[in-house]
């Protein structure tokens, strides 16, 4: 939801990151805050702070001795995708810094799970046609092709089948109703997984998750 309490927390985090950026090397903090705002759908409502952080991040890196690390680079590419596809905002770096970001991204092209291979085999045996594995839902100019792919895609129908292994879930202890004793574990999909679903749905894909 977009309740006031949550919104205030995000605004405080953005303000804190902006302060840290001016005082020292807080690049990872900045990319973390931008990514959190993006995946929670709060870029537009914090647009002024977002643009300050975005521009400040490049300024901090310009002429520096170190480039963004892999995590930061991927986060920033994802932030730009969420901004454009879900909130109608353009967040862009200079061409020179764009190339630095691209060169900082390392993607494991062999990351294909046994689960994905088995599901694809089963779908073939059941007669499903027209599916493609490891498909980018984005145009090449969106710089998203290598950082966010659909596990199994039916491109003509725009149906995405996402296969969720253990790293897609988080376990939460629900201690309500018994004084905090003997709370049960509730397993839910994590924020990153939910955010990917929202991004795909925002670009016109129907998403089914199997996990």
């Amino acid at each position: 939801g977009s309740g006031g309490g949550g919104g205030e927390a995000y605004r405080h985090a953005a303000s804190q990151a902006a302060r840290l950026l001016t005082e020292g090397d807080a690049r990872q903090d900045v990319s973390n805050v931008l990514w959190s705002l993006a995946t929670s759908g709060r870029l537009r409502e914090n647009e002024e702070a977002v643009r300050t952080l975005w521009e400040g991040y490049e300024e901090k890196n310009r002429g520096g001795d170190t480039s963004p690390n892999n995590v930061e680079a991927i986060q920033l590419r994802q932030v730009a995708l969420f901004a454009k596809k879900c909130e109608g905002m353009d967040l862009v770096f200079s061409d020179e810094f764009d190339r630095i970001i691209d060169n900082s991204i390392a993607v494991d092209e062999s990351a294909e799970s046994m689960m994905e291979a088995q599901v694809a085999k089963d779908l073939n045996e059941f007669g499903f046609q027209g599916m493609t594995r490891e498909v980018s839902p984005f145009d090449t100019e969106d710089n998203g092709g290598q950082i966010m792919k659909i596990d199994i895609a039916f491109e003509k129908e725009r149906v995405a089948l996402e296969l969720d292994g253990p790293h897609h879930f988080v376990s939460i202890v629900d201690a309500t109703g018994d004084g905090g004793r003997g709370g049960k574990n509730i397993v839910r999909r994590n924020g990153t997984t939910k955010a990917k679903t929202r991004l795909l749905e925002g670009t016109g894909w129907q998403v089914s998750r199997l996990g």
Side-chain angles (χ1 to χ4, degrees):
S2 55
E8 184 60 35
Y10 282 109
R11 283 190 289 274
H12 175 75
S15 175
Q16 180 76 356
R19 183 181 64 80
L20 290 172
L21 191 62
T22 63
E23 294 179 356
D25 187 359
R27 295 176 305 178
Q28 185 65 70
D29 297 288
V30 169
S31 65
N32 286 344
V33 168
L34 286 169
W35 186 85
S36 295
L37 291 168
T39 56
S40 62
R42 294 180 179 272
L43 290 170
R44 174 68 73 181
E45 69 185 67
N46 295 282
E47 183 171 2
E48 184 177 352
V50 165
R51 294 197 181 279
T52 297
L53 292 174
W54 189 264
E55 294 164 7
Y57 185 94
E58 177 173 354
E59 183 65 31
K60 201 72 178 179
N61 280 274
R62 187 176 295 138
D65 296 328
T66 59
S67 297
N69 63 39
N70 184 52
V71 171
E72 294 170 31
I74 290 175
Q75 282 181 324
L76 292 167
R77 280 285 180 251
Q78 291 177 341
V79 169
L81 285 171
F82 275 99
K84 181 175 182 179
K85 301 297 185 180
C86 297
E87 302 200 45
M89 291 174 58
D90 283 324
L91 292 176
V92 295
F93 289 126
S94 67
D95 290 344
E96 179 183 1
F97 195 62
D98 251 348
R99 287 190 290 272
I100 292 174
I101 293 289
D102 283 341
N103 291 335
S104 299
I105 293 177
V107 177
D108 183 3
E109 295 288 351
S110 66
E112 178 185 294
S113 69
M114 292 176 61
M115 179 182 180
E116 181 182 322
Q118 184 61 52
V119 170
K121 179 174 179 290
D122 291 343
L123 289 172
N124 272 320
E125 290 178 354
F126 279 110
F128 285 90
Q129 302 291 321
M131 62 180 175
T132 313
R133 292 154 69 179
E134 295 297 316
V135 172
S136 170
F138 307 111
D139 298 329
T140 54
E141 63 265 25
D142 290 329
N143 292 311
Q146 298 306 309
I147 61 172
M148 195 174 284
K149 292 184 178 181
I150 297 170
D151 293 334
I152 298 176
F154 295 87
E155 295 184 83
K156 183 178 178 180
E157 298 83 3
R158 291 187 70 79
V159 172
L161 178 58
E162 287 289 292
L163 309 177
D164 298 342
H167 65 284
H168 289 273
F169 295 89
V170 61
S171 180
I172 302 171
V173 176
D174 180 10
T176 59
D178 62 358
R181 297 182 298 275
K184 62 180 180 179
N185 278 347
I186 298 175
V187 178
R188 296 174 178 167
R189 285 182 169 85
N190 60 29
T192 303
T193 302
K194 291 179 180 178
K196 183 178 180 182
T197 297
R198 187 171 65 85
L199 178 57
L200 291 173
E201 289 176 343
T203 57
W205 287 79
Q206 179 183 332
V207 181
S208 294
R209 307 203 77 97
L210 176 64

